[in-house]
Amino acid sequence: MITCLNSSSRPWKNQRHSLISAGISTIGLTTVVSTAGCTKQFLPVFRECLLRRHCRFYSKANPCCSKFTHTLHSMLMSQSQSQMSYHLCSLVCPFDQCSRWRLRYHNLFNAMGHSAYAAMEKVGDPMLESGSPRTGWLPAGSGAATISNARAYNNNLIAQVLSGNGTPSRQGKPLEADLLLCSMKISSLGKLLRRALGSSILTCGLCTQFCYGNFSNLWVLLQNSGAQSIGVCYGLVADNLPSPSEVVDMYHDNGIISLRLYDPNPGALNSLRHSGINVALGVRNEDIQAIASSAAAADHWISLSVKPYASSVSIKYVTVGNEIIPGPLAQFVLPAMKNLHNSLMAAGLGIVGVTTVVSMPVLGNSYPPSQGTFSPDVVSVMASIVSLLNATGRPLLANVYPYFSYANDPVHIPLSYALFTSSAPVVHDGQFLYQNLFDAMVDALHAAMEKVGGAGVRVVVSESGWPSEGAGPATITNAETYNNNLIAHVLSGKGTPRRPRKPLEAFVFAMFNENLKPGGQPAVGVCYDTQADNLPPGKEVLPLFESSGITSVRRFRPDSQMLDALQYTRITVALGVDNSEVQLLGTSKEAASAWIYAHIQSYHRSVTIKYIIVGNELIPGPLSPYVLTAMENLDDMLSRHSINSISVTTTVLMDVLTYVYTPPSQAFFSSSSVDFMSSLLSFLDSRGYPLFVNVYPFLVYYATGKIPLPYAQFTSPVPVVTDGSFSYLNLLDQMVDSLYVAMEKVGQTNVTLAIAETGWPSAGVSGASVGDASIYNNNFVAHVLSSKGTPRRPNTPLEAFVYNMFNEDWRSGVFANFGLFYPDKNPVYPVQFDKAIAAMRLYEPNTDALTALKGSSIEVMLGVRNEDLASIAGSQSAADDWVHTNVAAYSDVKIKYITAGNEVIPCPNSQYVLPAMQK
């Protein structure tokens, strides 16, 4: 849109002609009418231009004068056109012209708007688009021109526009509005616009215009407006996300004006410059202790993460850690907050607030909300933090997930209560009535803070959301319902029952599904057992995980050394209960509570424990009766501690089936395991937990002597087993589908399978070699990461663990040689877990490399050496020999391209490239 700031029609027409001559028809032209000197003689010009060009009509009036509005009204009333839609800009006085419609007005904005619409309907054209009314309230001057009145007007206007109700005369019609602001000087406009408009104005996606004047209180007005807002968390735990600049564009395109970063990522922060997006900037958990212990460390963090961006990025909060209270780092949060606050003040950046992020387990009691109290182990820490927040006027940030509460107790919590769709209050808490779980959880935090002197501290919801896939209630429909209702609830301005009409801020989790986070994506981890006396310590193993792309680990039993090493890493853990402990945990709730306290409570804030695996291969067997009760006891203890992110399951062997190698359709559970498995699967189904199974194609291949090796190693080019409409290219899929069929035969179709162990030995028996192990494990990783699923469960993401991290000298027989690494940390063979190697370029034929690639799924680009081009170009027999030696001899290697030379053109040998390619 181009606006001509001149009342003459000539520039308007000339610019329009220039646009048309240039072939540009997508840019609209309009003009702005001012109060002074506006007479009837200009109206035909405006009318003709607007009607012919299908453009908008804007006006700009002195907020202190009503004369212009009456003049314009009378001018337009004298014309004969009809239904011209008009948005009045600076609204100044009401017109009582609406009695014949019998409309009632609750605010002056609507009444004044209808007055203008009534006039325009008599002179306009129905095809005209509508412009944006400019409005606002002076924060300084005389009389009613105060900051408090300006804040009230702007926030109420925002709520009016966002409601979508339109005006009494145009109900349900979308309304646009530009807030009229002022700046002291033009040079500060860009900075002011980007840094200040992230709160009350851009919160609602309103356009913002500036005019010149004396408005030195603009920053105070906007930063302290307290308007409700919705942001989105920007997680970076993925390797397939758009670039940061593309992400910022997505935030703008979707009207998102607040963003939470979990750590100071330079790429993200640079892309946020001059974006107008408010940022909650996180301090990594692992940095907190150093910052708490040293003011210099705090100064250094601010100098690196805030100062370089402060002039161009709207950093609203610095959040010290994420969900580390309770936990071993809880004691460092308050001193770290104080040091960072002091550093910001010293740097002249006191506008940036310092706070921390907690989760609901900080509460010892949350029901009913008025009884919300901090748990005994955190109350002193939280009381001190709340006191600091009260003194600095900053909110407490909290991650609030009704999803986890519902998923953990769907019997007592209605789904409608969790999704904001309940038609009536569900919880009656004295004078407070709760129609949704979100409000109840937030108010439980409010009540807890009030009990430690924090009645004036707000809660900002730093994370909330609903998963779109997974188990049970994790569906796209529920996620869409929850997130849309959450946004509408926050933007309604209703607040919560305990804090009515208090604006809320909330961040939806998350902008993207992150493929390196556990759940919802195919993932391959590694079993890390320690049945050896010559293995490296845990801290030395972590670099091996990182270099191999390993993001999940299965531990067969708790080990404090390893769990300590895994703290504050992004590695997901499946933590095992040793077989020797299962009977005790299955018969004693006290023992289960003690186990959770010792191995989970101390680590679940700092280690991403996803599963507790109760025993290994105990069904069928004498301990079978204790497996389910141990699972139930542990799951109950997790619930009591409000730990909802950990699933409890067990691992079975394929021996639970009558026959291991059989067409899947003929599979069923053995008589010794069917009862245990039926009860176990019912429990897993009720919780949405998976069943883990150990699947070893090698053992079947070795034991039967009848399985084709390519079928066992994922290299068969054609199906080997056909089972009705299902065809199998590899043995692993056949074995997994056999278990699925057996589960279906006992009425369980919802439980998903995860592979707890699989692998191939590199030595020990016939068929066990480094080459065979490399082929199997690399092809297995590629198969899982392809997300193809199995023939009976196509496109179903699979979680799996390769056995084993190290060769172990305490193991007997072939199982001592399943390791990916030797104890000295050298690889037995390379495997990349985060992404399968799909293609490889060899610059020249290499016999060892080509031999190792036999039977693999890796496509090869095979190079001809530059020095061989001349001979191949000059002789067909030389070309034939090259192909026979380097290609035909490796028919089971997927050679996709032959590259004739490397960077030969331009070069003296350029003349040989084309004839060499032809031959």
Side-chain angles (χ1 to χ4, degrees), residues 663-675:
S665 63
Q666 299 176 25
F668 53 89
F669 289 122
S670 66
S671 58
S672 60
S673 64
V674 63
D675 292 338

Side-chain angles (χ1 to χ4, degrees), residues 6 45 69 74 146 327 424 431 489 545 596 615 625 783 792 796 834 854 895:
N6 190 314
V45 174
T69 309
S74 60
T146 66
Q431 63 179 314
H489 180 66
F545 291 159
I596 293 295
H783 181 65
R792 285 182 177 270
T796 300
D834 53 353
K854 285 186 175 182
I895 300 175

Side-chain angles (χ1 to χ4, degrees), residues 408-421:
N408 189 56
D409 190 10
V411 175
H412 298 102
I413 299 176
L415 181 60
S416 60
Y417 185 55
L419 292 175
F420 296 91
T421 57

Side-chain angles (χ1 to χ4, degrees), residues 200-214:
S200 65
I201 296 179
L202 291 184
T203 291
C204 307
L206 300 178
C207 302
T208 304
Q209 305 288 339
F210 281 87
C211 67
Y212 307 119
N214 185 6

Side-chain angles (χ1 to χ4, degrees), residues 76-103:
L76 295 175
M77 289 286 284
S78 68
Q79 305 303 309
S80 58
Q81 277 71 20
S82 63
Q83 295 183 345
M84 176 179 177
S85 179
Y86 169 77
H87 279 193
L88 186 64
C89 290
S90 246
L91 305 174
V92 292
C93 65
F95 295 96
D96 189 12
Q97 305 266 349
C98 309
S99 58
R100 61 192 172 103
W101 282 286
R102 296 182 179 177
L103 300 175

Side-chain angles (χ1 to χ4, degrees), residues 685-758:
D685 185 28
S686 69
R687 301 296 196 276
Y689 300 160
L691 173 67
F692 277 84
V693 57
N694 295 340
V695 183
Y696 283 99
F698 167 77
L699 297 179
V700 178
Y701 164 78
Y702 180 76
T704 63
K706 300 178 181 179
I707 308 295
L709 184 60
Y711 186 55
Q713 293 191 331
F714 299 91
T715 58
S716 176
V718 295
V720 173
V721 172
T722 300
D723 185 24
S725 61
F726 303 107
S727 298
Y728 292 89
L729 283 165
N730 66 78
L731 180 55
L732 182 129
D733 282 352
Q734 178 187 340
M735 296 171 73
V736 171
D737 272 358
S738 294
L739 197 52
Y740 272 127
V741 169
M743 293 194 301
E744 292 170 3
K745 289 178 179 177
V746 295
Q748 294 297 337
T749 59
N750 296 323
V751 177
T752 58
L753 293 175
I755 296 177
E757 293 178 24
T758 192

